[in-house]
Amino acid sequence: MGEHEHKQVALPGGPVDSEGRAVNEPLLAALTGAAVSGCTECVQRLLDEAAAEPACVARLVEVARLIAIRTNRGELPGFMTDSDTSGPVGPEFKRLVRAVTAAEPVTVVCEQMTGAERRSAAGTAIEMLVGQLAVAHSSGFDDSAPLAEMCCAVATLLVEWWFSKAPVARREFTEAWKKHAFGHREAGLPDDGTNALALLLGALLHRQARQDQVVVEDLSPLVFTRVLPALETPEQAGALLAEFAAPPHADAIAVPIKRYARGNPEFLAELCLYLRSAIAVHVKDCPHGLRESGHACTLAHRGPVLGQDAGPQVATPGPQEGMRVALPWIGFREDEPAEDAPVGHDARQVWQVNVGRIVLERWDAGAARWNELISEDSSISEPHYRHEVGLEPLCCPACGSTGPFLAEGSWGDPLTLHCRCGVTTMSPLDARPDDLGRRLLKRLILCEADPAYAARRMLAPLAEYREHERRNRESGWYRGPDEEAVTIAGTADPGSGDSGDLVTALADALKPRLPERHEGGTLTLLLLQILEALSVPVVRDSLDGRHLAEAVRDLLSDLKLESDQWAPTREPVVERLRTWQAEGGPQLWRDAWARTLEMAQRYFAHNRVGDGSIVDGCAGVALAQYLLAGEAGCGVDQVTSDDVRGLIRPGEEQEANRDPTPIMHRWAERLRALGHDLDAADDPVARLWQHLKADGPTGMFDEQQEPALIIGLKILFGERSVYRVHL
């Protein structure tokens, strides 16, 4: 027996497989040691034993595959997986290698095979394993980054670039990823889903690199758009993902993602959808494709952007042409012009329009992220949200200049914009009809043909805003104009002079920050665009300019009347209470008001009167303290919150919702018992009672009416109150 004792060679992997099944490590160590020693007799005997244990066969195949990848510069040799039956590798072994690559439960696959098939696969695995170890011993492993790893790295950069360029897309993908939360926990899907996108794209890029014979030393010829056909068919993309031999160190990511994608077609379809969007955005922003429809965008063209190069992406200049850069478009908004091409001009006329600056509306991702962080921070009691939309001039991506520019093109063409720095900014030739550049060029052409169009184009959004305001005022939830409208109405005096006076009034009210970014609400941005148009004399003095000025005056006058009508609701709660307190009355009444004011300053120092419910609740507290202290013959400081709450006894709050009349009668009788004539005009207690007994709406969307006293006390002391004040 001594001549059959071989040094054991342990295999990596541990005592159990990925499914938690026990692996006979001593048996595998003995088999590998015998194979390394070249003892055919022991190898054959131990192979018979290993074939009887599916987990051992699976481990042999896994290790043989891993060593093959290590000795082949990170690539899985094709002869280990292809369907060709010829060659040194049998179909049983290939089947298991494909299962390992696809992250299938290999031990289960082994259990489905016959004993003879398992023995054949195990024999091939141990033979290849020993051969690969001999090669590694003589020449070592190549530790340079393999092609698969580099393709995954490029894919990760592209996905991260896309998410940074389009934060809304990141938010949408995050929401889509959350739908798979259960699968996430069950399959162990990693991180936030970015790795899943990068793995799938890396698999497709790797296949494309192999087909195009792109080598790891030079990935610059890699064409991103070549992967789009596979992404159009999720089944094909899933098959390529299953075949992709991801870098071994990425197994913690690749295995759960492959397993989950295999059993969830919806998940795979979503990954394909988002990757198509990422590549579309990436290619659209490539300056090399601005004059080439169907441009083959390569890594060489876009590498600096993926590497977060701060410089502008510039195409290589050709003969007699300057550098070209892509038109910035993420976040910008430009409506389709309401008018057709200018009458009297050839449809294919090439326009050349000199423009001082081009003002556009842009949504700001940074402001949106700021607002999101604030909303998630419960420690901020008074959050200060930023406006996410603003107006700003279009800048040359190369030099940062805001003008002047020379715009060039025919009606409906993509925009070509020449900057004095020598750089041409363009939108792609194959841009969609709703492309920012196409719409912007139409606007510039219309203004060149008729400068009054700059005023005429603002009449429709102005009318739309007024109609929106009209509908708001007819709604049950309306509680007056917002702060933006109040501020503008209070500072912009439209006057009755010429349009020049209106321009001055708007400038005084808006304090425009252009050419810096000017953020604001809908009304601010609307008036700012109108100011931009009317600031040009030829526009201001045109018939359309005068019509626009008159419409703006009507709007400002209407806002001023509306603001004045609702002015009492904007008074601070504490100031309104002080007005009632100043009416005087008995000492006990004054004490009740003093204590109520102290409570109001603690809870409502920053509140406005609004619909009056908080003010009425505080007034009810003052009245309740006076009533209870007067009946008990004590000071108001002896009255507790529970005492006030007890004036609407348990169960009577629900009664008040049905019929508050009995509760109001009891209060009136007790006040009369204290000596008050509740109809007296010279009694401050009676005057407050007259106010509090009047009915008002119980909520924004509720037509039910209740006395102001009941509404106010429920706001402050009700079971569902968000305040729950304490005296």
Side-chain angles (χ1 to χ4, degrees), residues 568-696:
T569 67
R570 298 191 297 273
E571 183 183 4
V573 166
V574 174
E575 293 303 316
R576 174 67 64 84
L577 296 178
R578 285 199 178 107
T579 301
W580 279 332
Q581 181 192 35
E583 293 183 2
Q587 183 61 48
L588 191 62
W589 179 244
R590 294 197 297 271
D591 292 343
W593 270 115
R595 193 174 182 218
T596 300
L597 259 295
E598 180 183 345
M599 177 203 72
Q601 288 170 336
R602 288 200 311 271
Y603 291 99
F604 309 114
H606 303 288
N607 288 73
R608 304 283 178 174
V609 169
D611 63 1
S613 57
I614 292 177
V615 168
D616 292 339
C618 291
V621 170
L623 187 62
Q625 290 181 90
Y626 171 73
L627 175 61
L628 293 170
E631 290 178 338
C634 64
V636 294
D637 58 338
Q638 301 299 308
V639 178
T640 67
S641 300
D642 289 337
D643 293 333
V644 176
R645 194 176 294 110
L647 289 175
I648 302 179
R649 293 192 298 272
E652 289 188 344
E653 186 175 336
Q654 287 72 25
E655 176 189 335
N657 289 333
R658 295 190 296 271
D659 182 11
T661 304
I663 296 175
M664 298 301 292
H665 278 324
R666 284 196 291 272
W667 277 64
E669 291 171 0
R670 295 168 73 172
L671 287 171
R672 290 191 185 96
L674 291 179
H676 292 280
D677 178 1
L678 298 184
D679 295 320
D682 57 350
D683 183 351
V685 177
R687 287 198 298 272
L688 184 64
W689 173 254
Q690 292 298 324
H691 169 78
L692 292 178
K693 78 173 187 177
D695 286 344

Side-chain angles (χ1 to χ4, degrees), residues 210-440:
R210 295 285 297 273
Q211 288 184 346
D212 294 346
Q213 298 183 345
V214 176
V215 296
V216 69
E217 290 80 9
D218 183 15
L219 294 177
S220 59
L222 196 61
V223 181
F224 296 122
T225 50
R226 295 281 297 277
V227 306
L228 287 174
L231 289 172
E232 293 289 346
T233 309
E235 294 80 7
Q236 181 183 357
L240 295 175
L241 176 63
E243 297 172 4
F244 177 51
H249 65 79
D251 279 350
I253 296 171
V255 170
I257 290 174
K258 286 184 176 184
R259 289 183 175 180
Y260 191 67
R262 184 170 59 249
N264 294 269
E266 179 186 0
F267 171 71
L268 190 60
E270 287 174 351
L271 294 184
C272 292
L273 172 65
Y274 284 101
L275 284 178
R276 290 200 303 271
S277 299
I279 293 174
V281 170
H282 177 79
V283 174
K284 183 175 182 179
D285 211 29
C286 178
H288 291 265
L290 297 176
R291 295 182 182 175
E292 303 172 20
S293 181
H295 167 65
C297 183
T298 66
L299 180 59
H301 297 163
R302 301 294 284 155
V305 164
L306 296 184
Q308 301 300 314
D309 187 343
Q313 268 306 108
V314 182
T316 305
Q320 300 180 343
E321 67 177 1
M323 295 183 296
R324 303 191 303 275
V325 298
L327 176 71
W329 58 277
I330 296 291
F332 287 101
R333 177 175 178 267
E334 176 74 17
D335 293 330
E336 181 71 22
E339 299 182 13
D340 294 328
V343 179
H345 296 272
D346 180 40
R348 298 312 303 165
Q349 174 182 340
V350 177
W351 294 79
Q352 291 187 324
V353 182
N354 286 294
V355 56
R357 70 181 181 195
I358 301 172
V359 177
L360 292 168
E361 185 178 291
R362 185 177 73 85
W363 175 83
D364 183 65
R369 180 58 181 158
W370 170 264
N371 292 341
E372 184 178 348
L373 292 173
I374 288 180
S375 66
E376 294 172 352
D377 191 343
S378 59
S379 66
I380 303 177
S381 58
E382 297 180 34
H384 177 65
Y385 293 104
R386 292 173 53 186
H387 289 289
E388 297 181 9
V389 180
L391 291 180
E392 59 186 64
L394 182 66
C395 298
C396 171
C399 70
S401 170
T402 58
F405 300 117
L406 174 64
E408 185 178 16
S410 299
W411 181 266
D413 281 351
L415 175 68
T416 298
L417 200 66
H418 302 283
C419 178
R420 56 187 174 184
C421 74
V423 169
T424 300
T425 303
M426 303 178 66
S427 49
L429 280 180
D430 56 356
R432 292 171 35 172
D434 60 354
D435 176 70
L436 170 70
R438 292 186 188 273
R439 290 181 169 182
L440 181 54

Side-chain angles (χ1 to χ4, degrees), residues 511-585:
K511 296 179 174 55
R513 293 185 289 276
L514 295 172
E516 301 297 326
R517 176 178 172 86
H518 191 124
E519 299 174 347
T522 303
L523 178 60
T524 295
L525 299 185
L526 174 63
L527 293 178
L528 197 61
Q529 293 179 79
I530 291 173
L531 173 60
E532 183 79 4
L534 295 181
S535 296
V536 180
V538 67
V539 177
R540 182 171 64 243
D541 297 336
S542 67
L543 180 61
D544 292 308
R546 292 194 294 272
H547 287 164
L548 178 62
E550 189 61 32
V552 172
R553 284 195 183 91
D554 289 344
L555 170 66
L556 294 177
S557 298
D558 178 68
L559 288 177
K560 185 68 168 63
L561 289 173
E562 188 73 7
S563 176
D564 291 344
Q565 177 182 343
W566 288 87
T569 67
R570 298 191 297 273
E571 183 183 4
V573 166
V574 174
E575 293 303 316
R576 174 67 64 84
L577 296 178
R578 285 199 178 107
T579 301
W580 279 332
Q581 181 192 35
E583 293 183 2

